[in-house]
Amino acid sequence: MFSSCEKKPEEKTVAGLHSLKYSIVGTLPHDQKAFTEGLVIHHDKILEGTGQYNQSWLAEIDPNTSGAEKKVILDGQYFGEGVTVLNEKIYQLTYREKVGFIYQSTDYKKLGEFRYSTEGWGITHDGKNLIMSDGTDKLYFLDTINFEVIRTLPVTDPSGARLKNLNELEYVNQYIFANVYETPLIVKIDPISGKVVGELDLSTITSEITRMYPGAYELNGIAYDKKLNALLVTGKFWPKYYLIRIY
């Protein structure tokens, strides 16, 4: 499925923080019209949600062509954001509209909506609760029955300072991985303490993409491939997905 290109970048050291090392396992074509906001792998399928008014959608992506096999186009008044799947239900956030959408994962039939009081940025889950970001230093754990906030988790860096601009999220092996908005960084967060315990610097990939494709925006989108034990990452208007393995 992936174009193989096993490649290890130069290691970088981040003061006071464990720098996660990675290798690039392969790439896939990505729709350059996709303003990526949410990304998840479910039953070996890539699900992607995009943003911008009048351009937001949710789709199941064909990994060979980047085309959409199933697609829901949001009404123009909504700016789509993060996407996750829990108990065969797809949850999709919107940016400032303070409403999320629920779909059946098999056929994308809309099942309902849910409300929240903050902006919607990224979303994932720990197998029980939804976990949402709003672009601040906080993560919100939501009950899936009434969607009330049952816990708020402030996220801090190794110095104890609050880490803001948390965006797209993915829950991986008991940790929360988060894009930091407008940076090439993905941070690894302890879901109990809120402390950042690792940092993945993808500036090499990001710099290459933005240099070769001037219309490309920042890194955004993290999906965990359990079978390959690897992360699928991309960015807004990027021409590729990258499959990377952390070690």
Side-chain angles (χ1 to χ4, degrees), residues 126-190:
D126 59 7
K128 179 181 178 181
N129 300 306
L130 298 173
I131 306 170
M132 190 179 93
S133 67
D134 65 351
T136 67
D137 62 298
K138 297 181 178 65
L139 298 177
Y140 304 91
F141 289 68
L142 307 180
D143 182 274
T144 56
I145 303 300
N146 55 25
F147 300 99
E148 291 183 358
V149 176
I150 59 176
R151 183 160 75 100
T152 300
L153 182 69
V155 176
T156 57
D157 67 19
S159 72
R162 298 286 182 90
L163 181 63
K164 298 180 181 180
N165 294 326
L166 299 174
N167 199 2
E168 225 275 290
L169 307 174
E170 183 78 347
Y171 195 84
V172 182
N173 297 329
Q174 309 302 312
Y175 288 94
I176 301 168
F177 283 68
N179 282 117
V180 181
Y181 180 53
E182 293 188 321
T183 79
L185 305 178
I186 294 174
V187 292
K188 180 181 180 181
I189 303 165
D190 184 321

Side-chain angles (χ1 to χ4, degrees), residues 1 11 37 73 114 156 218 233:
M1 184 169 77
E11 296 179 15
E37 295 289 3
I73 299 175
F114 62 101
T156 57
E218 67 270 359
V233 299

Side-chain angles (χ1 to χ4, degrees), residues 214-244:
Y217 281 48
E218 67 270 359
L219 175 78
N220 201 47
I222 314 169
Y224 180 53
D225 189 318
K226 293 182 180 180
K227 288 187 176 180
L228 297 177
N229 189 29
L231 297 180
L232 187 70
V233 299
T234 191
K236 299 171 181 178
F237 299 145
W238 282 26
K240 299 177 184 179
Y241 299 96
Y242 288 82
L243 187 72
I244 63 174

